[in-house]
Amino acid sequence: MLTIKDADIKMFDNISESGEKFHWTGRPDFWPYLISSTGSAIIALILITLFVVAPFLLVGFGATLEGESLVAAAFLLMPVSFMALFAIPILIAALRFKKTAYAFTDSRILTSGCIVGIDYKMLEYNQIRNAEVTVGLMGKIFKVGNIYIYTGEHAMNNLSRDVLIAVSEPYQVFKELKGKIDIARKNKE
């Protein structure tokens, strides 16, 4: 059975209609969400640490031992600035995570997320053209998956999609979504 948490419903108080019934609410799991949102930044941070920071630190500490403080400072500060550059997207994703929530109601999908304030998105079931669920290696490890929702809208010459990232019980959530889409299509005919 899918979960409905009051704390998640409260995330949508500003936009939910009176009498609107929630059928599922969820939030992404932290680590898969962070890795999914910033995978390339995390990989870059690890590589920079291994191949840039470590050698710079060794040279910097060597220069410090020899009394060349200006050279040491340059060699110690340079890798820190590289790390900060790649740490910023990770920090942004971690802050956005706190306000990210998903919900299925009688007639629509609601999503929230942002860093400052809360941004909401609403997708009516009858607007959805297609949906898919994926569970990759990271999903298998953390027992989560991503649900992609296509509405047929175009963004910069590509088909737009919305993603519910790092959802627990992804196949059950997808099955619930598919049922809602099927009902909306039948009612539309």
Side-chain angles (χ1 to χ4, degrees):
M1 176 129 189
L2 295 176
T3 60
I4 302 172
K5 295 181 182 172
D6 289 337
D8 294 344
I9 292 174
K10 287 184 189 270
M11 289 286 292
F12 299 104
D13 277 348
N14 293 337
I15 62 165
S16 61
E17 298 173 8
S18 66
E20 188 168 24
K21 186 176 178 194
F22 285 79
H23 295 273
W24 172 77
T25 62
R27 291 180 183 246
D29 286 0
F30 180 74
W31 287 111
Y33 177 83
L34 190 68
I35 292 166
S36 174
S37 299
T38 62
S40 59
I42 290 173
I43 291 168
L45 192 57
I46 291 168
L47 292 175
I48 285 172
T49 302
L50 290 174
F51 297 110
V52 176
V53 175
F56 271 86
L57 289 177
L58 291 174
V59 170
F61 284 131
T64 303
L65 294 174
E66 295 173 12
E68 300 172 13
S69 60
L70 187 59
V71 173
F75 274 94
L76 294 175
L77 289 176
M78 200 159 153
V80 171
S81 62
F82 273 122
M83 289 176 66
L85 180 68
F86 288 99
I88 290 170
I90 296 168
L91 178 63
I92 289 171
L95 292 171
R96 193 175 57 228
F97 170 80
K98 287 183 174 184
K99 296 182 181 177
T100 300
Y102 315 121
F104 297 167
T105 70
D106 325 56
S107 60
R108 57 192 178 155
I109 299 169
L110 303 173
T111 64
S112 70
C114 195
I115 297 171
V116 179
I118 298 179
D119 293 343
Y120 296 103
K121 183 148 190 184
M122 170 186 79
L123 296 168
E124 301 285 337
Y125 295 122
N126 60 10
Q127 294 176 339
I128 298 171
R129 287 202 170 159
N130 202 356
E132 65 181 270
V133 60
T134 61
V135 177
L137 177 63
M138 198 61 61
K140 290 211 181 270
I141 293 169
F142 290 102
K143 296 183 173 94
V144 297
N146 296 337
I147 298 175
Y148 297 91
I149 302 163
Y150 302 90
T151 58
E153 295 176 4
H154 291 274
M156 296 176 62
N157 299 326
N158 290 322
L159 200 57
S160 174
R161 69 178 185 193
D162 292 283
V163 185
L164 308 183
I165 300 172
V167 175
S168 296
E169 302 178 23
Y171 295 115
Q172 288 181 281
V173 173
F174 183 73
K175 188 176 178 180
E176 176 78 15
L177 174 61
K178 184 183 176 322
K180 299 284 181 207
I181 294 169
D182 290 345
I183 290 170
R185 286 182 180 156
K186 286 179 186 173
N187 290 339
K188 192 175 180 181
E189 293 173 355

